[in-house]
Amino acid sequence: MTLEQPAAILPDAPREQIEADLEALTTGSRVWSTLGLDQRARLLGRLRDTVGAAAEDWALTAAVSKALPAGSPLRGEEWLSGPYTTLTALDAAVRTLRALAGERSPLDGVRLTDAPGGRIRAHVLPAEPIDRVLLSGFRGEVWLEPGVTRAEAVAAAGLGQRTPTRSGGIGLVLGAGNVTSIPVLDVLYELLSANRVCMLKVNPTQDALVPVFQRAFAPLIELGLLRIVRGGGDVGAYLTQHPAFSHVHITGSAATFDTIVWGTGEDAARRRAAGDPALSVPITAELGGVSPIIVVPGRWSDADLRFQAEHIVTMRLQNSGHNCVAGQVVLLSADWPQRGAFLAALRTAYAAAPARTVWYPRSSQTLAAVAEAYPDATWSADGTRAIVQVDRDAAADAVQTTEYFAPVLGVLALPGTGRAFLDAAVAHANDRLTGTLGANVLIDPATEAELGDGLDDALAGLRYGSIAVNAWTGAMFTVPGLSWGAFPGGTLEHVGSGIGVVHNARLLDRVERSVMRGPFRPFPRMIPAAVRGRGTFTVLPKPPWFVTARTGAEVSEGLTRFRAGGSPVGLAATLAKAFRA
């Protein structure tokens, strides 16, 4: 490179390889700007084929790296959160490119309705007919910022693909270490939203996947649109200081973000005081937080109590709790007559969930800190899972202010029922919990009907970038039409859960949040309420992402193979297995 070299020092071999990769990306940036929209759609179609071909190696390599034994239903997580999610994102991206190539808006055919507070929402799920089967009963909306009009939303949809010849330069993506599709989906969004080719630095926890990624993403690598590098903190420091990059995106922690933006030690303090960041280019970020699970009191059957307890256990224990939107604090009504029964069901389900390794680096230190801070915590699974009773009046309660990234679940009681409880829970989530990435709400159909517009008003008041109603925000991550990122408002000085969004396959501008709504009861228990118009119809039994789904691995593998080009016969067999979950 002819640009001035960064101050961080690397040994000759990795430095020379990085410089060669940057030369290739410089050429690739020019290549991308010459490709028309139809050509880009065909390229992503090729990419879809190579991802599908690598899907089995991808899922199995990830499962082994997380110590999931052969035959474990939990291996399904690695199919769903890796190749399956990537294939759905590629399908959605191709649809957007083809719409723009045909001089249509990506919002053509999408219903736009009013949302509270002068907002509009785009109803993006279901996006295609198969969604009505694979995500039966689930609906998804992208809410735009207050004041955005329908005409403005339609005109802006497409972002960088509205001006495909305008290059966004070279971006640096610092990949997450917990979920295997996060880094590559971040690359895809950079390429489409901003016309930026990318260097992806993988987290060391995903080093074993690099050969798989190189095969899966060969079409991008061949054209110089992507380069993948390994390395530790020294490589990261070298890259973030490199003048070749026009933008940085990170999925990680706020501490890492601050180091990149401000530096460390006295120099960082001086820079903060002067408003003089060490990073000279724009940065976007997804940094996690403490996610609430708001349980709205109602009249639940014993089966409801057990199912929703397993739902919450999934929110906390999927991927061993190593998720940026793992539910961390359950907000219950102190006045709910069924609170005791629900807590008993929750404790039973939490302890009985399948055993698994707590694998993410430094998790043992996290669990030790929890044991010290909460001597009365209830432990299970050989001391690797904790339930903590939270005092709502505690001034600085750790479980509410620290993203544990480990199997630790807080439970807190607030006064009230109905709308009074819901308003109190929203205020507590906004004001007392750290972060704005994801929030979950569980509410039965009868209570929702009694609230009328109250639920939508409460959702509008929740300052979170992803909100799941009778669903988990982690499931939203797999839906490409929904956005993924913090609620707007993060800054370099106070980043919170991050800045900007990713995914957002229709490339909508001025996104505020996404909302997904699911069925409160699975098939067939939902039939009586649905017949009476009280409840959402679904053909799904226990979803395959539940940690208690006995056929989770078989179903998730089958769904991925179907997405990769499998037959309807194979899908039917997979769905039959889902009914044995």
Side-chain angles (χ1 to χ4, degrees), residues 429-488:
N430 285 343
D431 300 336
R432 300 292 293 274
L433 304 187
T434 294
T436 64
L437 185 62
N440 312 274
V441 180
L442 302 178
I443 181 169
D444 66 272
T447 302
E448 182 175 350
E450 290 168 5
L451 286 173
D453 293 333
L455 178 59
D456 253 15
D457 291 341
L459 300 185
L462 268 173
R463 296 193 295 269
Y464 287 82
S466 296
I467 302 174
V469 180
N470 294 330
W472 172 40
T473 47
M476 297 176 68
F477 176 87
T478 70
V479 180
L482 300 176
S483 58
W484 188 255
F487 192 79

Side-chain angles (χ1 to χ4, degrees), residues 37-234:
L37 296 173
D38 280 326
Q39 291 173 303
R40 294 178 180 192
R42 289 195 294 272
L43 174 63
L44 294 192
R46 281 185 57 213
L47 186 59
R48 188 186 188 286
D49 293 339
T50 53
V51 168
E56 183 170 358
D57 280 350
W58 184 335
L60 296 185
T61 300
V64 169
S65 73
K66 298 179 182 183
L68 295 172
S72 169
L74 297 173
R75 284 195 167 200
E77 294 175 3
E78 300 312 314
W79 285 93
L80 281 184
S81 65
Y84 176 87
T85 296
T86 304
L87 288 166
T88 62
L90 289 168
D91 286 342
V94 168
R95 290 196 296 271
T96 291
L97 288 170
R98 287 178 176 162
L100 291 166
E103 298 185 349
R104 304 187 310 276
S105 168
L107 280 174
D108 279 3
V110 174
R111 186 163 58 98
L112 302 177
T113 63
D114 293 332
R119 300 170 174 89
I120 59 168
R121 54 185 153 198
H123 297 260
V124 299
L125 178 72
E128 51 181 332
I130 194 61
D131 288 339
R132 300 183 185 278
V133 177
L134 301 186
L135 287 169
S136 174
F138 288 84
R139 296 167 291 145
E141 311 155 5
V142 178
W143 293 26
L144 304 184
E145 295 174 353
V148 177
T149 67
R150 286 167 170 73
E152 289 170 339
V154 170
L159 296 178
Q161 298 313 293
R162 301 187 68 84
T163 54
T165 61
R166 185 181 302 166
S167 172
I170 303 173
L172 171 63
V173 172
L174 300 172
N178 59 329
V179 174
T180 60
S181 65
I182 291 176
V184 293
L185 293 180
D186 291 347
V187 166
L188 183 63
Y189 192 70
E190 286 286 286
L191 193 60
L192 295 176
S193 68
N195 288 315
R196 271 194 290 270
V197 302
C198 287
M199 178 172 283
L200 166 62
K201 181 200 171 293
V202 296
N203 188 290
T205 62
Q206 296 198 6
D207 278 353
L209 276 161
V210 170
V212 180
F213 286 162
Q214 288 171 333
R215 295 198 306 276
F217 296 90
L220 300 186
I221 294 170
E222 290 166 1
L223 291 178
L225 309 180
L226 171 65
R227 285 295 185 269
I228 303 173
V229 299
R230 296 179 175 96
D234 57 341

Side-chain angles (χ1 to χ4, degrees), residues 364-374 404:
S364 58
Q365 292 95 313
T366 298
L367 295 176
V370 170
E372 182 177 353
Y374 297 99
Y404 278 134

Side-chain angles (χ1 to χ4, degrees), residues 136-139 293-296 300 304 307-308 311-312 315 439-449 455 459 467-473 475-476 515-522 534-536 538 540 543 545-546:
S136 174
F138 288 84
R139 296 167 291 145
I293 306 166
I294 299 173
V295 180
V296 183
W300 294 11
D304 293 336
F307 180 79
Q308 295 302 344
H311 200 172
I312 291 176
M315 296 179 193
N440 312 274
V441 180
L442 302 178
I443 181 169
D444 66 272
T447 302
E448 182 175 350
L455 178 59
L459 300 185
I467 302 174
V469 180
N470 294 330
W472 172 40
T473 47
M476 297 176 68
V515 176
M516 188 163 82
R517 306 167 195 258
F520 179 75
R521 299 181 178 98
R534 291 285 186 92
T536 301
T538 179
L540 295 180
W545 58 82
F546 269 43

